[in-house]
Amino acid sequence: MLISGKQYRSIWIDKKSEKVKIIDQRRLPHSVEIITLNDLHQTVKAISEMYVRGAPLIGVTAAFGFSLAMKEDCSEKSIKKAYKHLINARPTAVNLAWACKRVSEKLQKIPHIERKEYSLKLAQKMADEDVETNYKIGKSGLALIKSLAEKKREQTPVRILTHCNAGWLATVDRGTATAPIYQANELGIDVFVWVDETRPRNQGASLTAWELYHNKINNKLIVDNAGGHIMQKGLVDAVIVGSDRTTFGGDVCNKIGTYLKALAAWDNSIPFYAALPTSTIDFDLENGLEIPIEERGEDEVLTMTGENNSGKTENIKLTIEGIKASNPAFDVTPAKYVTGLITDKGVIKPNRDSILKLKPKLQL
Ligand code: MRU
């Protein structure tokens, strides 16, 4: 999508240097810094320290991590090492495990000599597939936005609330929750987005509002606690969020705070959707409460990072020394609060039957 009028993906191979490039998302929105991933170690660091983040993007980044590992050593041992380090870089988003399994299984089946070239081609293929998948998610969700637009009695835009960043920065391009929004906007449907700031890392404020701004989608940033209020006031037509892992029972795990938005949507009869590629579905898990929830450092809660008036990045303390914090990064929204799953295979009900029907259609 666009940054100051120029098309970007969130990860790509630079044609000249043939190096893996990423946007360092820790620096957004104040500065757009493009950095190179040179080896497996840097790739693992980029995922665990959130230079790149978002379930689909960390999966594709891991695929590039394998190709960097194969550049140095194509042995079985090297595949196993890359697998072990990449899969453990972050625990919650299942796309990471999905990508690691897919790439390592393929690599193990081919001769050593082909692994270097093949792994790069596979990573690029997975990046392209992600973009294609997001167009399909966009198409599935577009029908919902169109029907919301048609039902409107007044000339107001279709107002969507989203949480965290399930936009193009969380994927290779287009995003999941944002794909239907971008597609609706391209068709001339008036859309407006309420963006939750998403404490503690502020992905809504730093990433979602910024990417919507650069791609000319009207939006307003709200504090995380405002969602319930604006829903009660009739200012939200639908909630669309992303997902880090969706169980085959239909429970949706996503950024901390998503569950509370789902409860407020339920209480106000507002449809609540999760938009996700089928690689986000965990076909081995039915109960969302069994999903491992990443616990991040307490500094993210006790401090806040931003730009000061002199344009310098500053980290400030929100409280006094000695205060302790807890920082679970994700929560689980039970299927009963989810109206539908917007997938690349259509909009489906969040239940066992509808989800398990998808499984035979998927292939490695
Ligand atoms: O901790 P993050 O920034 O990786 O969390 C991201 C989210 O929770 C997204 O909503 C989710 O990964 C879906 S991205 C399409």
Short mmCIF file of all heavy atoms in Angstrom, two decimals, residues 233-289:
data_model
loop_
_atom_site.label_atom_id
_atom_site.label_comp_id
_atom_site.label_asym_id
_atom_site.label_seq_id
_atom_site.Cartn_x
_atom_site.Cartn_y
_atom_site.Cartn_z
N LYS A 233 -23.70 4.80 21.47
CA LYS A 233 -24.22 6.01 20.81
C LYS A 233 -24.63 5.76 19.36
O LYS A 233 -24.99 6.68 18.64
CB LYS A 233 -23.14 7.11 20.84
CG LYS A 233 -22.86 7.67 22.22
CD LYS A 233 -23.98 8.61 22.61
CE LYS A 233 -23.82 9.12 24.03
NZ LYS A 233 -25.00 9.79 24.54
N GLY A 234 -24.52 4.51 18.91
CA GLY A 234 -24.94 4.17 17.54
C GLY A 234 -23.96 4.65 16.49
O GLY A 234 -24.34 4.91 15.34
N LEU A 235 -22.68 4.76 16.84
CA LEU A 235 -21.70 5.31 15.90
C LEU A 235 -20.83 4.24 15.22
O LEU A 235 -19.86 4.57 14.55
CB LEU A 235 -20.79 6.33 16.64
CG LEU A 235 -21.53 7.52 17.24
CD1 LEU A 235 -20.60 8.38 18.08
CD2 LEU A 235 -22.16 8.35 16.13
N VAL A 236 -21.17 2.98 15.47
CA VAL A 236 -20.38 1.90 14.88
C VAL A 236 -21.33 0.94 14.14
O VAL A 236 -22.33 0.50 14.70
CB VAL A 236 -19.61 1.11 15.98
CG1 VAL A 236 -18.82 -0.05 15.39
CG2 VAL A 236 -18.69 2.05 16.77
N ASP A 237 -21.03 0.64 12.87
CA ASP A 237 -21.87 -0.28 12.11
C ASP A 237 -21.36 -1.72 12.18
O ASP A 237 -22.14 -2.66 12.03
CB ASP A 237 -21.93 0.15 10.64
CG ASP A 237 -22.58 1.52 10.50
OD1 ASP A 237 -23.69 1.69 11.02
OD2 ASP A 237 -21.94 2.42 9.92
N ALA A 238 -20.06 -1.87 12.33
CA ALA A 238 -19.48 -3.23 12.44
C ALA A 238 -18.10 -3.12 13.07
O ALA A 238 -17.43 -2.09 12.94
CB ALA A 238 -19.37 -3.89 11.08
N VAL A 239 -17.71 -4.19 13.75
CA VAL A 239 -16.34 -4.29 14.26
C VAL A 239 -15.63 -5.32 13.38
O VAL A 239 -16.18 -6.39 13.13
CB VAL A 239 -16.32 -4.75 15.73
CG1 VAL A 239 -14.89 -4.87 16.24
CG2 VAL A 239 -17.13 -3.78 16.61
N ILE A 240 -14.46 -4.97 12.88
CA ILE A 240 -13.65 -5.95 12.14
C ILE A 240 -12.24 -5.94 12.73
O ILE A 240 -11.59 -4.90 12.78
CB ILE A 240 -13.56 -5.68 10.62
CG1 ILE A 240 -14.95 -5.48 10.00
CG2 ILE A 240 -12.83 -6.83 9.92
CD1 ILE A 240 -14.94 -5.24 8.47
N VAL A 241 -11.82 -7.10 13.23
CA VAL A 241 -10.48 -7.23 13.81
C VAL A 241 -9.72 -8.32 13.06
O VAL A 241 -10.30 -9.03 12.24
CB VAL A 241 -10.55 -7.58 15.32
CG1 VAL A 241 -11.24 -6.49 16.12
CG2 VAL A 241 -11.25 -8.93 15.53
N GLY A 242 -8.45 -8.47 13.36
CA GLY A 242 -7.67 -9.57 12.80
C GLY A 242 -7.69 -10.73 13.78
O GLY A 242 -8.49 -10.77 14.73
N SER A 243 -6.82 -11.69 13.55
CA SER A 243 -6.70 -12.80 14.50
C SER A 243 -5.28 -13.36 14.44
O SER A 243 -4.66 -13.39 13.38
CB SER A 243 -7.71 -13.90 14.17
OG SER A 243 -7.49 -15.02 15.00
N ASP A 244 -4.79 -13.77 15.58
CA ASP A 244 -3.48 -14.43 15.64
C ASP A 244 -3.61 -15.94 15.63
O ASP A 244 -2.67 -16.66 15.28
CB ASP A 244 -2.71 -13.97 16.89
CG ASP A 244 -2.23 -12.56 16.68
OD1 ASP A 244 -3.03 -11.64 16.93
OD2 ASP A 244 -1.10 -12.38 16.22
N ARG A 245 -4.76 -16.38 16.08
CA ARG A 245 -5.04 -17.82 16.05
C ARG A 245 -6.54 -17.99 16.26
O ARG A 245 -7.12 -17.43 17.18
CB ARG A 245 -4.27 -18.54 17.16
CG ARG A 245 -4.18 -20.00 16.96
CD ARG A 245 -3.56 -20.72 18.14
NE ARG A 245 -2.16 -20.47 18.40
CZ ARG A 245 -1.29 -21.40 18.77
NH1 ARG A 245 -1.68 -22.65 18.89
NH2 ARG A 245 -0.04 -21.08 19.06
N THR A 246 -7.16 -18.76 15.37
CA THR A 246 -8.58 -19.05 15.51
C THR A 246 -8.70 -20.56 15.61
O THR A 246 -8.14 -21.28 14.79
CB THR A 246 -9.35 -18.50 14.29
OG1 THR A 246 -9.27 -17.07 14.33
CG2 THR A 246 -10.81 -18.89 14.32
N THR A 247 -9.39 -21.03 16.62
CA THR A 247 -9.48 -22.48 16.81
C THR A 247 -10.54 -23.07 15.88
O THR A 247 -11.38 -22.33 15.35
CB THR A 247 -9.86 -22.83 18.26
OG1 THR A 247 -11.22 -22.39 18.46
CG2 THR A 247 -8.94 -22.17 19.27
N PHE A 248 -10.54 -24.39 15.74
CA PHE A 248 -11.57 -24.98 14.87
C PHE A 248 -12.94 -24.94 15.54
O PHE A 248 -13.95 -25.24 14.92
CB PHE A 248 -11.16 -26.37 14.36
CG PHE A 248 -11.15 -27.48 15.36
CD1 PHE A 248 -12.33 -28.14 15.71
CD2 PHE A 248 -9.95 -27.89 15.95
CE1 PHE A 248 -12.32 -29.19 16.62
CE2 PHE A 248 -9.94 -28.93 16.86
CZ PHE A 248 -11.12 -29.58 17.21
N GLY A 249 -12.98 -24.52 16.80
CA GLY A 249 -14.26 -24.27 17.46
C GLY A 249 -14.77 -22.85 17.23
O GLY A 249 -15.88 -22.50 17.61
N GLY A 250 -13.94 -22.00 16.61
CA GLY A 250 -14.37 -20.64 16.27
C GLY A 250 -13.96 -19.57 17.27
O GLY A 250 -14.35 -18.40 17.13
N ASP A 251 -13.19 -19.92 18.30
CA ASP A 251 -12.71 -18.90 19.24
C ASP A 251 -11.59 -18.10 18.57
O ASP A 251 -10.74 -18.66 17.88
CB ASP A 251 -12.14 -19.56 20.51
CG ASP A 251 -13.20 -20.31 21.30
OD1 ASP A 251 -14.40 -20.06 21.09
OD2 ASP A 251 -12.82 -21.16 22.14
N VAL A 252 -11.62 -16.80 18.81
CA VAL A 252 -10.67 -15.91 18.12
C VAL A 252 -9.70 -15.30 19.11
O VAL A 252 -10.09 -14.58 20.03
CB VAL A 252 -11.44 -14.77 17.39
CG1 VAL A 252 -10.48 -13.72 16.84
CG2 VAL A 252 -12.28 -15.35 16.26
N CYS A 253 -8.42 -15.60 18.91
CA CYS A 253 -7.39 -14.98 19.75
C CYS A 253 -6.81 -13.80 18.98
O CYS A 253 -6.42 -13.93 17.82
CB CYS A 253 -6.30 -16.02 20.04
SG CYS A 253 -4.99 -15.36 21.06
N ASN A 254 -6.79 -12.66 19.62
CA ASN A 254 -6.26 -11.45 18.96
C ASN A 254 -5.70 -10.53 20.05
O ASN A 254 -5.73 -10.84 21.24
CB ASN A 254 -7.38 -10.78 18.14
CG ASN A 254 -6.85 -9.69 17.23
OD1 ASN A 254 -5.88 -9.89 16.50
ND2 ASN A 254 -7.43 -8.50 17.28
N LYS A 255 -5.21 -9.40 19.62
CA LYS A 255 -4.57 -8.44 20.53
C LYS A 255 -5.41 -8.17 21.78
O LYS A 255 -6.63 -8.06 21.72
CB LYS A 255 -4.33 -7.14 19.75
CG LYS A 255 -3.66 -6.01 20.51
CD LYS A 255 -2.35 -6.40 21.14
CE LYS A 255 -1.35 -6.95 20.17
NZ LYS A 255 -0.23 -7.65 20.85
N ILE A 256 -4.73 -8.05 22.90
CA ILE A 256 -5.38 -7.80 24.19
C ILE A 256 -6.37 -6.62 24.05
O ILE A 256 -6.04 -5.59 23.48
CB ILE A 256 -4.30 -7.53 25.29
CG1 ILE A 256 -4.91 -7.59 26.68
CG2 ILE A 256 -3.54 -6.23 25.09
CD1 ILE A 256 -5.11 -8.97 27.19
N GLY A 257 -7.58 -6.84 24.56
CA GLY A 257 -8.62 -5.80 24.47
C GLY A 257 -9.68 -6.14 23.44
O GLY A 257 -10.78 -5.57 23.46
N THR A 258 -9.38 -7.09 22.56
CA THR A 258 -10.35 -7.47 21.53
C THR A 258 -11.63 -8.03 22.17
O THR A 258 -12.75 -7.71 21.76
CB THR A 258 -9.72 -8.53 20.58
OG1 THR A 258 -8.54 -7.98 20.02
CG2 THR A 258 -10.68 -8.92 19.48
N TYR A 259 -11.42 -8.87 23.19
CA TYR A 259 -12.56 -9.52 23.87
C TYR A 259 -13.56 -8.48 24.41
O TYR A 259 -14.78 -8.61 24.23
CB TYR A 259 -11.98 -10.39 24.99
CG TYR A 259 -12.94 -11.01 25.96
CD1 TYR A 259 -14.11 -11.63 25.54
CD2 TYR A 259 -12.66 -11.00 27.33
CE1 TYR A 259 -14.97 -12.22 26.45
CE2 TYR A 259 -13.51 -11.59 28.25
CZ TYR A 259 -14.67 -12.19 27.81
OH TYR A 259 -15.52 -12.77 28.71
N LEU A 260 -13.04 -7.42 25.01
CA LEU A 260 -13.94 -6.40 25.56
C LEU A 260 -14.73 -5.70 24.46
O LEU A 260 -15.88 -5.31 24.65
CB LEU A 260 -13.14 -5.36 26.37
CG LEU A 260 -12.63 -5.83 27.73
CD1 LEU A 260 -11.78 -4.75 28.39
CD2 LEU A 260 -13.79 -6.19 28.64
N LYS A 261 -14.10 -5.54 23.29
CA LYS A 261 -14.81 -4.93 22.16
C LYS A 261 -15.93 -5.85 21.69
O LYS A 261 -17.01 -5.40 21.32
CB LYS A 261 -13.85 -4.61 21.01
CG LYS A 261 -12.80 -3.58 21.35
CD LYS A 261 -13.43 -2.27 21.81
CE LYS A 261 -12.69 -1.68 22.97
NZ LYS A 261 -11.45 -1.06 22.69
N ALA A 262 -15.63 -7.15 21.70
CA ALA A 262 -16.65 -8.12 21.27
C ALA A 262 -17.84 -8.10 22.24
O ALA A 262 -19.00 -8.18 21.81
CB ALA A 262 -16.03 -9.52 21.20
N LEU A 263 -17.55 -7.99 23.54
CA LEU A 263 -18.65 -7.94 24.53
C LEU A 263 -19.51 -6.70 24.31
O LEU A 263 -20.74 -6.77 24.35
CB LEU A 263 -18.08 -7.93 25.95
CG LEU A 263 -17.43 -9.22 26.45
CD1 LEU A 263 -16.88 -9.03 27.85
CD2 LEU A 263 -18.43 -10.38 26.43
N ALA A 264 -18.86 -5.57 24.07
CA ALA A 264 -19.61 -4.33 23.86
C ALA A 264 -20.42 -4.42 22.56
O ALA A 264 -21.56 -3.94 22.50
CB ALA A 264 -18.65 -3.14 23.82
N ALA A 265 -19.84 -5.03 21.53
CA ALA A 265 -20.56 -5.17 20.26
C ALA A 265 -21.80 -6.06 20.46
O ALA A 265 -22.90 -5.75 20.01
CB ALA A 265 -19.63 -5.77 19.20
N TRP A 266 -21.60 -7.14 21.19
CA TRP A 266 -22.69 -8.08 21.49
C TRP A 266 -23.84 -7.36 22.22
O TRP A 266 -25.01 -7.48 21.87
CB TRP A 266 -22.12 -9.21 22.35
CG TRP A 266 -23.11 -10.21 22.87
CD1 TRP A 266 -23.72 -10.21 24.09
CD2 TRP A 266 -23.57 -11.37 22.18
NE1 TRP A 266 -24.53 -11.30 24.20
CE2 TRP A 266 -24.47 -12.04 23.05
CE3 TRP A 266 -23.32 -11.92 20.93
CZ2 TRP A 266 -25.10 -13.22 22.69
CZ3 TRP A 266 -23.97 -13.10 20.57
CH2 TRP A 266 -24.86 -13.72 21.46
N ASP A 267 -23.48 -6.58 23.22
CA ASP A 267 -24.49 -5.89 24.02
C ASP A 267 -25.25 -4.84 23.21
O ASP A 267 -26.36 -4.47 23.55
CB ASP A 267 -23.81 -5.22 25.23
CG ASP A 267 -24.82 -4.77 26.26
OD1 ASP A 267 -25.77 -5.53 26.54
OD2 ASP A 267 -24.69 -3.63 26.77
N ASN A 268 -24.61 -4.37 22.13
CA ASN A 268 -25.24 -3.33 21.32
C ASN A 268 -25.72 -3.85 19.96
O ASN A 268 -26.04 -3.06 19.07
CB ASN A 268 -24.26 -2.17 21.12
CG ASN A 268 -24.04 -1.42 22.44
OD1 ASN A 268 -24.88 -0.62 22.83
ND2 ASN A 268 -22.96 -1.71 23.12
N SER A 269 -25.79 -5.18 19.82
CA SER A 269 -26.23 -5.84 18.57
C SER A 269 -25.49 -5.33 17.34
O SER A 269 -26.07 -5.08 16.28
CB SER A 269 -27.74 -5.66 18.36
OG SER A 269 -28.43 -6.08 19.49
N ILE A 270 -24.19 -5.16 17.50
CA ILE A 270 -23.34 -4.74 16.38
C ILE A 270 -22.56 -5.96 15.90
O ILE A 270 -21.97 -6.67 16.71
CB ILE A 270 -22.36 -3.62 16.85
CG1 ILE A 270 -23.17 -2.36 17.21
CG2 ILE A 270 -21.31 -3.30 15.78
CD1 ILE A 270 -22.39 -1.32 17.96
N PRO A 271 -22.56 -6.22 14.58
CA PRO A 271 -21.82 -7.41 14.12
C PRO A 271 -20.32 -7.31 14.40
O PRO A 271 -19.72 -6.25 14.22
CB PRO A 271 -22.09 -7.47 12.61
CG PRO A 271 -22.63 -6.13 12.24
CD PRO A 271 -23.22 -5.51 13.48
N PHE A 272 -19.76 -8.42 14.86
CA PHE A 272 -18.33 -8.48 15.21
C PHE A 272 -17.68 -9.55 14.33
O PHE A 272 -18.02 -10.73 14.42
CB PHE A 272 -18.19 -8.84 16.69
CG PHE A 272 -16.77 -8.98 17.15
CD1 PHE A 272 -16.11 -7.91 17.75
CD2 PHE A 272 -16.07 -10.17 16.96
CE1 PHE A 272 -14.78 -8.04 18.15
CE2 PHE A 272 -14.75 -10.30 17.36
CZ PHE A 272 -14.10 -9.23 17.96
N TYR A 273 -16.77 -9.13 13.47
CA TYR A 273 -16.10 -10.06 12.56
C TYR A 273 -14.61 -10.14 12.82
O TYR A 273 -13.99 -9.14 13.18
CB TYR A 273 -16.28 -9.60 11.10
CG TYR A 273 -17.70 -9.61 10.61
CD1 TYR A 273 -18.44 -8.42 10.55
CD2 TYR A 273 -18.31 -10.79 10.21
CE1 TYR A 273 -19.75 -8.42 10.10
CE2 TYR A 273 -19.62 -10.80 9.76
CZ TYR A 273 -20.34 -9.62 9.72
OH TYR A 273 -21.64 -9.62 9.28
N ALA A 274 -14.05 -11.31 12.60
CA ALA A 274 -12.59 -11.44 12.55
C ALA A 274 -12.23 -11.78 11.11
O ALA A 274 -12.86 -12.64 10.49
CB ALA A 274 -12.12 -12.53 13.49
N ALA A 275 -11.24 -11.07 10.57
CA ALA A 275 -10.79 -11.30 9.20
C ALA A 275 -9.46 -12.03 9.27
O ALA A 275 -8.53 -11.57 9.95
CB ALA A 275 -10.63 -9.98 8.46
N LEU A 276 -9.36 -13.17 8.58
CA LEU A 276 -8.14 -13.98 8.73
C LEU A 276 -7.91 -14.91 7.55
O LEU A 276 -8.85 -15.40 6.95
CB LEU A 276 -8.24 -14.82 10.01
CG LEU A 276 -9.54 -15.62 10.20
CD1 LEU A 276 -9.22 -17.09 10.30
CD2 LEU A 276 -10.26 -15.15 11.43
N PRO A 277 -6.64 -15.14 7.25
CA PRO A 277 -6.34 -16.17 6.25
C PRO A 277 -6.51 -17.54 6.89
O PRO A 277 -6.42 -17.67 8.12
CB PRO A 277 -4.87 -15.90 5.91
CG PRO A 277 -4.30 -15.27 7.13
CD PRO A 277 -5.43 -14.52 7.80
N THR A 278 -6.71 -18.57 6.08
CA THR A 278 -6.92 -19.90 6.67
C THR A 278 -5.67 -20.40 7.40
O THR A 278 -5.75 -21.27 8.25
CB THR A 278 -7.37 -20.90 5.59
OG1 THR A 278 -6.66 -20.62 4.39
CG2 THR A 278 -8.85 -20.77 5.31
N SER A 279 -4.50 -19.79 7.11
CA SER A 279 -3.28 -20.18 7.85
C SER A 279 -3.34 -19.76 9.32
O SER A 279 -2.50 -20.17 10.12
CB SER A 279 -2.04 -19.56 7.19
OG SER A 279 -2.20 -18.17 7.06
N THR A 280 -4.32 -18.94 9.69
CA THR A 280 -4.47 -18.51 11.09
C THR A 280 -5.33 -19.50 11.88
O THR A 280 -5.48 -19.38 13.10
CB THR A 280 -5.10 -17.09 11.10
OG1 THR A 280 -4.21 -16.21 10.41
CG2 THR A 280 -5.31 -16.55 12.48
N ILE A 281 -5.91 -20.48 11.17
CA ILE A 281 -6.76 -21.44 11.88
C ILE A 281 -5.89 -22.56 12.45
O ILE A 281 -5.06 -23.14 11.76
CB ILE A 281 -7.83 -22.03 10.93
CG1 ILE A 281 -8.71 -20.89 10.41
CG2 ILE A 281 -8.68 -23.09 11.66
CD1 ILE A 281 -9.69 -21.30 9.35
N ASP A 282 -6.10 -22.83 13.73
CA ASP A 282 -5.40 -23.94 14.37
C ASP A 282 -6.36 -25.14 14.36
O ASP A 282 -7.30 -25.20 15.16
CB ASP A 282 -5.02 -23.54 15.81
CG ASP A 282 -4.13 -24.58 16.46
OD1 ASP A 282 -4.14 -25.73 15.99
OD2 ASP A 282 -3.45 -24.25 17.45
N PHE A 283 -6.09 -26.06 13.43
CA PHE A 283 -6.97 -27.23 13.29
C PHE A 283 -6.71 -28.27 14.38
O PHE A 283 -7.37 -29.30 14.44
CB PHE A 283 -6.82 -27.85 11.90
CG PHE A 283 -7.45 -27.00 10.81
CD1 PHE A 283 -6.68 -26.17 10.02
CD2 PHE A 283 -8.83 -27.02 10.61
CE1 PHE A 283 -7.25 -25.39 9.03
CE2 PHE A 283 -9.42 -26.23 9.63
CZ PHE A 283 -8.63 -25.42 8.84
N ASP A 284 -5.72 -28.00 15.25
CA ASP A 284 -5.43 -28.95 16.34
C ASP A 284 -6.07 -28.52 17.65
O ASP A 284 -5.95 -29.21 18.66
CB ASP A 284 -3.91 -29.05 16.56
CG ASP A 284 -3.22 -29.66 15.36
OD1 ASP A 284 -3.84 -30.54 14.72
OD2 ASP A 284 -2.09 -29.24 15.05
N LEU A 285 -6.67 -27.35 17.66
CA LEU A 285 -7.17 -26.81 18.93
C LEU A 285 -8.62 -26.37 18.80
O LEU A 285 -8.96 -25.63 17.87
CB LEU A 285 -6.29 -25.60 19.30
CG LEU A 285 -6.10 -25.28 20.77
CD1 LEU A 285 -5.42 -26.46 21.47
CD2 LEU A 285 -5.24 -24.03 20.90
N GLU A 286 -9.47 -26.81 19.75
CA GLU A 286 -10.87 -26.40 19.68
C GLU A 286 -11.17 -25.26 20.66
O GLU A 286 -11.90 -24.33 20.37
CB GLU A 286 -11.79 -27.60 19.98
CG GLU A 286 -13.26 -27.24 19.86
CD GLU A 286 -14.18 -28.43 19.75
OE1 GLU A 286 -13.74 -29.54 20.14
OE2 GLU A 286 -15.32 -28.27 19.27
N ASN A 287 -10.54 -25.36 21.83
CA ASN A 287 -10.84 -24.40 22.89
C ASN A 287 -9.81 -23.27 22.93
O ASN A 287 -8.63 -23.49 23.21
CB ASN A 287 -10.86 -25.17 24.23
CG ASN A 287 -11.14 -24.27 25.42
OD1 ASN A 287 -11.32 -23.05 25.29
ND2 ASN A 287 -11.17 -24.86 26.61
N GLY A 288 -10.28 -22.06 22.68
CA GLY A 288 -9.37 -20.90 22.60
C GLY A 288 -8.61 -20.64 23.89
O GLY A 288 -7.52 -20.06 23.87
N LEU A 289 -9.19 -21.07 25.01
CA LEU A 289 -8.52 -20.78 26.29
C LEU A 289 -7.24 -21.60 26.46
O LEU A 289 -6.45 -21.35 27.37
CB LEU A 289 -9.49 -20.99 27.46
CG LEU A 289 -10.68 -20.03 27.44
CD1 LEU A 289 -11.64 -20.31 28.58
CD2 LEU A 289 -10.23 -18.56 27.48
#
